[in-house]
Amino acid sequence: MKHIKFVWALLLAVPILVGSTGCKKFLDRKPLTATLEDLDQGGLEGQIYGLYGGIRNPDIAGEGFSGIPWLAMHGFRSDDAMKGSSDADGADWANIYDNFQYVKDHWSSNTYYDQHYRLIDLANVALKTADSLRLNDPASLVNIGEAKFFRAFAYFDLVRTYGQVRLITAPVTSAAQVNAMPKSNEAAIYAQIDADLNAAEAVLPPNWGNRFPGRLTTYAAKTLHAKTYLYRQQWAAALSLAQQVIQSGQYQLESNFSNIWKEAGENGPESIFEIQAEIGPGGTNPLGSRIGITQGIRGVDVWDLGWGWNTPTETLVNSGFETGDPRRPKTILFSGQSDDPANGGYGRTLPPYPTLPRHYWSKKYYADPAKQASTGERQAAWMNHRILRLSDVYLMAAEAANELGGTANQALAVQYLEAVRARARGGNSAVLPPVAFVSQAQMRTAIQQERRAEFAMEGERFFDLVRWGIAPAALGGQGFQPRHKYYPLPQPVIDASNGALVQNPDYP
């Protein structure tokens, strides 16, 4: 594999790689002594490195995958998270997302949409390169699988956010080309996702050993694929893929929930896919992400840890967890209280409200003071964004098994749900008792509650509520109506199409 310094050298020399920023942890370091052979082989692989960097770098597509546009679409719209920050900071965002007063032309949604298509175009360019050069050696096939994963990853976000969208599978060469394209229906989008993930599953390796932590594997593709099947209620397909991941032996649940969110827990035993970020001693070699910056506590001096967006709601604090659930103090920080070293804190006491503008903060992206000191940076640009992890696979398998029904599947649902609860209770038998199967409806409710507690503040809740059909009941008090399951397409895109692209229903 080529290495990050060599990739950056190519970025200066090869125009087709413009926009690539390299990747962080899975790229070794190599002296700038590239041979002609290296240069000949660098094009496709360099573009693939650009895809990994693109979902982190805010100048390419990172805002759409780890910045506040991503938080707005995936977080604020749920009953667990809100815009946060101070009331005056981004007040329009609170109306748009917390209160479901969607706006067709707003920087947040326009950026989210555009940067997902930017990632798709980068993937399409890489795939075109491979096809044009007839690359079919093992390394190139892996690169092709990576490109197809990223394309599917972007389209899955688009289809669950907007519904019908444009299906673009070739590089865009002009604005006129894309402006003339109509929407494709959801079935066509999912068919492309299926094709891309099937292809990725076939060529990506089961693991990379210790060589490339954070790089995509066949099980990352299978996990994402299982999730897309879950959204379509294709239970048997979702269960089959989830079980392949569970039974692979490649992953295990982290014994301490708090450790998942520590720097030492990055690319840990249950990590399947993370957006990589890093910063060196004294702030050197920054390859940052905004997932930690955007959610860090909004204070002053030593408590200036970030922008303070995406904060827990009263609803999550008061009813999101079962009594005594150890995940509650490992998920939420409380203004005016200790950060609770026994539950993942660092021995600090937060300033009280209203010195801090919110009562609650996300603990899942809470800056380590030792890392702050070593880098000279208080805002945690170095944090990886956890996207897919094994507990999600267990709960997807539990849900799919329960929905399939039958004695054997009932037992599987109980088994997979218990695996997640057992980790959460941490050996304390007084909390989170095992759930026995009583009925499909009872088990469905238990799994839904477990997903809420396990993935609070991680951007899963809104889409879960929509696909379960219970968003009106859960979010109606915030203004949610059935039409709000999809966001309107950006109006500038509609206007540029001269009628070729039609706005989503109910958004005249």
Side-chain angles (χ1 to χ4, degrees), residues 432-449:
L432 300 179
V435 177
F437 184 90
V438 176
S439 69
Q440 186 183 58
Q442 164 264 343
M443 182 58 66
R444 182 182 298 128
T445 298
I447 293 168
Q448 290 175 355
Q449 172 57 39

Side-chain angles (χ1 to χ4, degrees), residues 68-84 92-103 108-109 112 116 156-163 231 309-311 313 452 457-467 470-489 504 507:
I68 50 178
W70 186 90
L71 293 175
M73 288 295 187
H74 293 246
F76 307 167
R77 295 194 291 170
S78 78
D79 52 348
D80 286 355
M82 58 187 294
K83 185 270 294 179
D92 55 334
W93 293 62
N95 286 329
I96 294 167
Y97 295 101
D98 290 335
N99 302 324
F100 294 100
Q101 298 178 21
Y102 289 169
V103 172
S108 58
S109 57
Y112 184 89
H116 275 72
F156 181 50
D157 273 356
L158 288 169
V159 73
R160 60 181 175 162
T161 299
Y162 299 102
Y231 273 64
W309 294 59
N310 200 49
T311 56
T313 62
R452 184 181 193 184
M457 307 306 296
E458 293 183 50
E460 294 286 334
R461 177 69 173 169
F462 174 78
F463 293 114
D464 277 348
L465 291 172
V466 168
R467 69 182 180 84
I470 61 175
L475 303 173
Q478 297 171 224
F480 181 92
Q481 300 175 23
R483 72 187 181 115
H484 293 126
K485 67 183 251 183
Y486 292 138
Y487 201 92
L489 296 170
N504 284 342
Y507 295 102

Side-chain angles (χ1 to χ4, degrees), residues 123 127 143-153 195-197 199-200:
L127 293 169
N143 292 159
I144 290 168
E146 290 169 298
K148 290 187 174 182
F149 175 95
F150 282 117
R151 186 166 66 181
F153 179 55
D196 281 346
L197 291 177

Side-chain angles (χ1 to χ4, degrees), residues 228-248:
T228 73
Y229 282 131
L230 205 74
Y231 273 64
R232 291 173 279 173
Q233 299 184 356
Q234 295 184 21
W235 308 119
L239 178 59
S240 175
L241 286 172
Q243 287 184 303
Q244 290 177 47
V245 178
I246 292 168
Q247 296 167 5
S248 70

Side-chain angles (χ1 to χ4, degrees), residues 1-299:
M1 304 297 291
K2 305 303 174 290
H3 305 276
I4 191 167
K5 290 187 178 179
F6 174 51
V7 172
W8 280 23
L10 285 177
L11 295 182
L12 299 176
V14 184
I16 196 169
L17 298 183
V18 169
S20 172
T21 61
C23 283
K24 166 256 189 186
K25 292 173 185 169
F26 65 81
L27 299 182
D28 298 328
R29 301 281 174 169
K30 177 181 178 179
L32 292 175
T33 55
T35 65
L36 180 60
E37 180 184 11
D38 287 327
L39 184 60
D40 290 343
Q41 296 176 356
L44 176 61
E45 197 163 61
Q47 290 172 54
I48 299 305
Y49 294 168
L51 289 168
Y52 284 95
I55 56 174
R56 179 194 64 239
N57 187 334
D59 295 329
I60 303 175
E63 286 285 5
F65 293 92
S66 286
I68 50 178
W70 186 90
L71 293 175
M73 288 295 187
H74 293 246
F76 307 167
R77 295 194 291 170
S78 78
D79 52 348
D80 286 355
M82 58 187 294
K83 185 270 294 179
S85 186
S86 65
D87 288 337
D89 181 33
D92 55 334
W93 293 62
N95 286 329
I96 294 167
Y97 295 101
D98 290 335
N99 302 324
F100 294 100
Q101 298 178 21
Y102 289 169
V103 172
K104 291 185 285 187
D105 187 1
H106 190 263
W107 175 81
S108 58
S109 57
N110 296 354
T111 298
Y112 184 89
Y113 179 96
D114 288 347
Q115 292 194 343
H116 275 72
Y117 275 109
R118 173 61 172 152
L119 187 69
I120 289 166
D121 192 56
L122 290 172
N124 287 338
V125 169
L127 293 169
K128 178 67 173 178
T129 298
D131 182 63
S132 297
L133 299 176
R134 295 185 175 87
L135 300 176
N136 59 8
D137 59 282
S140 294
L141 291 177
V142 169
N143 292 159
I144 290 168
E146 290 169 298
K148 290 187 174 182
F149 175 95
F150 282 117
R151 186 166 66 181
F153 179 55
Y155 268 123
F156 181 50
D157 273 356
L158 288 169
V159 73
R160 60 181 175 162
T161 299
Y162 299 102
Q164 297 183 7
V165 292
R166 285 169 164 152
L167 181 58
I168 305 174
T169 57
V172 173
T173 58
S174 70
Q177 170 197 352
V178 72
N179 286 342
M181 294 183 66
K183 295 191 292 188
S184 292
N185 61 37
E186 292 170 63
I189 302 298
Y190 273 116
Q192 185 63 54
I193 290 171
D194 287 336
D196 281 346
L197 291 177
N198 283 332
E201 291 160 28
V203 297
L204 291 175
N207 64 71
W208 290 94
N210 295 322
R211 293 180 297 155
F212 308 121
R215 193 162 188 178
L216 290 168
T217 67
T218 184
Y219 297 112
K222 289 180 178 182
T223 299
L224 180 60
H225 209 173
K227 182 166 285 192
T228 73
Y229 282 131
L230 205 74
Y231 273 64
R232 291 173 279 173
Q233 299 184 356
Q234 295 184 21
W235 308 119
L239 178 59
S240 175
L241 286 172
Q243 287 184 303
Q244 290 177 47
V245 178
I246 292 168
Q247 296 167 5
S248 70
Q250 299 292 325
Y251 310 97
Q252 60 184 20
L253 293 173
E254 168 64 60
S255 59
N256 186 332
F257 187 76
S258 290
N259 289 348
I260 298 170
W261 314 105
K262 302 289 188 179
E263 185 181 14
E266 292 182 343
N267 303 311
E270 77 173 80
S271 172
I272 297 174
F273 176 50
E274 301 181 11
I275 297 176
Q276 306 291 303
E278 183 56 285
I279 187 170
T284 57
N285 300 320
L287 295 171
S289 164
R290 284 189 173 166
I291 195 67
I293 294 174
T294 53
Q295 298 181 80
I297 294 171
R298 185 183 182 91

